Amino acid sequence: MTVSREMEDLEANVLNYIVNHGTFERPVSSLTIKWKFNLSKRRLEMIIESLRVNFGHPIVAKKTQPSGYYIPRNEEERQAGTAPYRRQILTEQKNLSAVMAVDLEEYWRSA
């Protein structure tokens, strides 16, 4: 993986916090991270995405309680952490297919 830029201090701080405080059993909640680093929901999401995509950190989010972020230590933890993303992708594919299947000319003729 080629890194295109240096990691920002805030990204490094969030990463270190997840590494040092998050586990599969006790992930770090987004509320805790947002409070600790004074982040909006969107800014935290952007930082997590950057840590994954730009720097190759396999951060996942556990959606069931206790919910939050962690870095999986084995394949089972990775699969548990990526399951919500897979479900979301399937839902989005279903929605896209439904919208694309509509004949717009026919739709507006019958409206």
Coordinates of all heavy atoms in Angstrom, one line a residue, residues 1-8 10-12 14-15 42-59:
M1 N 0.8 -1.2 0.0 CA 0.0 0.0 0.0 C 0.9 1.2 0.0 O 1.8 1.4 0.8 CB -0.9 0.0 1.2 CG -1.6 1.3 1.5 SD -2.5 1.2 3.0 CE -4.0 2.0 2.4
T2 N 0.6 2.1 -0.9 CA 1.3 3.4 -1.0 C 0.6 4.5 -0.3 O -0.6 4.7 -0.6 CB 1.6 3.8 -2.5 OG1 2.2 2.8 -3.1 CG2 2.3 5.1 -2.6
V3 N 1.2 5.1 0.7 CA 0.6 6.2 1.4 C 0.9 7.5 0.6 O 2.0 7.8 0.3 CB 1.1 6.3 2.8 CG1 0.5 7.5 3.6 CG2 0.8 5.0 3.6
S4 N -0.2 8.3 0.4 CA 0.0 9.5 -0.5 C 0.3 10.7 0.4 O 0.6 11.8 -0.2 CB -1.3 9.7 -1.3 OG -2.4 9.9 -0.4
R5 N 0.1 10.7 1.7 CA 0.4 11.8 2.5 C 0.7 11.4 3.9 O 0.5 10.2 4.3 CB -0.8 12.8 2.5 CG -2.1 12.1 3.1 CD -3.2 13.1 3.2 NE -4.4 12.6 3.7 CZ -4.8 12.3 5.0 NH1 -3.9 12.7 5.9 NH2 -5.9 11.8 5.3
E6 N 1.2 12.3 4.7 CA 1.5 12.0 6.1 C 0.1 12.0 6.9 O -0.8 12.7 6.6 CB 2.3 13.1 6.7 CG 3.7 13.2 6.2 CD 4.6 12.0 6.6 OE1 4.5 11.7 7.8 OE2 5.3 11.4 5.8
M7 N 0.1 11.1 7.9 CA -1.1 11.1 8.8 C -1.1 12.4 9.6 O -0.2 12.8 10.2 CB -1.0 9.9 9.7 CG -2.3 9.6 10.5 SD -2.2 8.1 11.5 CE -2.1 6.8 10.3
E8 N -2.3 13.0 9.7 CA -2.5 14.2 10.5 C -2.5 13.7 12.0 O -2.8 12.6 12.3 CB -3.9 14.8 10.2 CG -4.0 15.3 8.8 CD -5.3 15.8 8.4 OE1 -6.2 15.9 9.3 OE2 -5.6 16.2 7.2
L10 N -4.6 14.5 14.3 CA -5.9 14.1 14.8 C -6.2 12.6 14.4 O -6.7 11.8 15.2 CB -7.0 15.0 14.3 CG -8.4 14.7 14.8 CD1 -8.4 14.7 16.3 CD2 -9.3 15.8 14.2
E11 N -5.8 12.3 13.2 CA -6.0 10.9 12.7 C -5.1 9.9 13.6 O -5.6 8.9 14.0 CB -5.5 10.8 11.2 CG -6.4 11.4 10.3 CD -5.9 11.5 8.9 OE1 -4.7 11.7 8.7 OE2 -6.7 11.3 7.9
A12 N -3.9 10.3 13.9 CA -3.0 9.5 14.7 C -3.6 9.3 16.1 O -3.5 8.3 16.7 CB -1.6 10.1 14.7
V14 N -6.8 9.6 17.1 CA -8.0 8.7 17.0 C -7.5 7.2 16.8 O -8.0 6.4 17.5 CB -8.9 9.1 15.9 CG1 -10.0 8.1 15.7 CG2 -9.6 10.5 16.2
L15 N -6.6 7.0 15.9 CA -6.1 5.6 15.8 C -5.5 5.1 17.0 O -5.9 3.9 17.5 CB -5.0 5.6 14.6 CG -4.3 4.3 14.5 CD1 -5.3 3.2 14.0 CD2 -3.2 4.4 13.5
R42 N -19.8 13.4 11.4 CA -19.3 13.4 10.0 C -17.8 13.4 10.0 O -17.1 12.7 9.3 CB -19.9 14.5 9.2 CG -19.4 14.5 7.8 CD -19.9 13.3 7.0 NE -19.2 13.1 5.7 CZ -18.6 12.0 5.3 NH1 -18.7 10.9 6.0 NH2 -18.0 12.0 4.1
R43 N -17.2 14.2 10.9 CA -15.7 14.3 10.9 C -15.1 13.0 11.4 O -14.1 12.6 10.9 CB -15.3 15.5 11.8 CG -13.8 15.7 11.9 CD -13.2 16.2 10.6 NE -11.8 16.5 10.8 CZ -10.9 16.0 10.0 NH1 -11.2 15.3 9.0 NH2 -9.6 16.3 10.3
L44 N -15.7 12.4 12.4 CA -15.2 11.1 12.9 C -15.3 10.1 11.8 O -14.4 9.3 11.5 CB -16.0 10.6 14.1 CG -15.7 9.2 14.6 CD1 -14.2 9.1 14.9 CD2 -16.5 8.9 15.8
E45 N -16.4 10.0 11.0 CA -16.6 9.1 9.9 C -15.5 9.3 8.9 O -14.9 8.4 8.3 CB -18.0 9.2 9.3 CG -19.1 8.7 10.2 CD -20.5 9.0 9.7 OE1 -20.6 9.9 8.8 OE2 -21.4 8.5 10.3
M46 N -15.2 10.6 8.6 CA -14.1 10.9 7.6 C -12.8 10.4 8.1 O -12.0 9.9 7.3 CB -14.1 12.4 7.3 CG -15.3 12.9 6.6 SD -15.5 14.7 6.4 CE -14.0 15.1 5.5
I47 N -12.5 10.6 9.4 CA -11.2 10.2 9.9 C -11.1 8.6 9.9 O -10.1 8.1 9.5 CB -11.0 10.7 11.4 CG1 -10.8 12.2 11.3 CG2 -9.9 10.0 12.1 CD1 -10.9 12.9 12.7
I48 N -12.1 7.9 10.3 CA -12.1 6.5 10.2 C -11.9 6.0 8.8 O -11.1 5.1 8.5 CB -13.4 5.9 10.8 CG1 -13.6 6.2 12.3 CG2 -13.5 4.4 10.6 CD1 -12.5 5.7 13.2
E49 N -12.6 6.6 7.8 CA -12.5 6.2 6.4 C -11.1 6.5 6.0 O -10.5 5.6 5.3 CB -13.5 7.0 5.6 CG -13.3 6.6 4.1 CD -14.3 7.4 3.2 OE1 -15.3 7.9 3.7 OE2 -14.1 7.5 2.0
S50 N -10.5 7.6 6.3 CA -9.1 7.9 5.9 C -8.1 6.9 6.5 O -7.2 6.4 5.8 CB -8.7 9.3 6.4 OG -7.4 9.6 6.1
L51 N -8.3 6.5 7.8 CA -7.4 5.6 8.4 C -7.5 4.2 7.7 O -6.5 3.5 7.6 CB -7.8 5.4 9.9 CG -7.4 6.6 10.8 CD1 -8.0 6.5 12.2 CD2 -5.9 6.8 10.9
R52 N -8.7 3.9 7.3 CA -8.8 2.6 6.5 C -8.2 2.7 5.1 O -7.4 1.9 4.7 CB -10.3 2.3 6.4 CG -11.0 1.8 7.6 CD -12.5 1.7 7.4 NE -13.3 1.3 8.5 CZ -14.5 1.7 8.8 NH1 -15.1 2.5 7.9 NH2 -15.1 1.3 9.9
V53 N -8.7 3.7 4.4 CA -8.4 3.7 2.9 C -7.0 4.3 2.7 O -6.2 3.7 1.9 CB -9.4 4.6 2.2 CG1 -9.1 4.8 0.8 CG2 -10.8 4.0 2.3
N54 N -6.6 5.3 3.4 CA -5.3 5.9 3.1 C -4.1 5.3 3.8 O -3.0 5.4 3.4 CB -5.3 7.4 3.5 CG -6.3 8.2 2.6 OD1 -6.5 7.9 1.4 ND2 -7.0 9.2 3.2
F55 N -4.4 4.7 5.0 CA -3.3 4.2 5.8 C -3.4 2.7 6.1 O -2.5 2.1 6.8 CB -3.2 5.0 7.1 CG -3.0 6.5 6.8 CD1 -4.0 7.4 6.9 CD2 -1.7 6.9 6.4 CE1 -3.8 8.7 6.6 CE2 -1.5 8.3 6.1 CZ -2.6 9.2 6.2
G56 N -4.4 2.0 5.6 CA -4.5 0.5 5.7 C -4.8 0.0 7.1 O -4.4 -1.2 7.4
H57 N -5.5 0.7 7.9 CA -5.8 0.2 9.3 C -7.2 -0.4 9.2 O -8.2 0.2 8.8 CB -5.8 1.3 10.3 CG -4.4 1.9 10.5 ND1 -3.4 1.2 11.2 CD2 -3.8 3.0 10.0 CE1 -2.3 1.9 11.2 NE2 -2.6 3.0 10.5
P58 N -7.3 -1.7 9.6 CA -8.6 -2.5 9.4 C -9.6 -2.2 10.5 O -10.1 -3.1 11.1 CB -8.1 -3.9 9.4 CG -6.9 -3.9 10.4 CD -6.2 -2.6 10.1
I59 N -9.9 -0.9 10.7 CA -10.9 -0.5 11.7 C -12.3 -1.0 11.3 O -12.7 -0.7 10.2 CB -10.8 1.0 12.0 CG1 -9.4 1.4 12.5 CG2 -11.9 1.4 13.0 CD1 -9.2 2.9 12.4

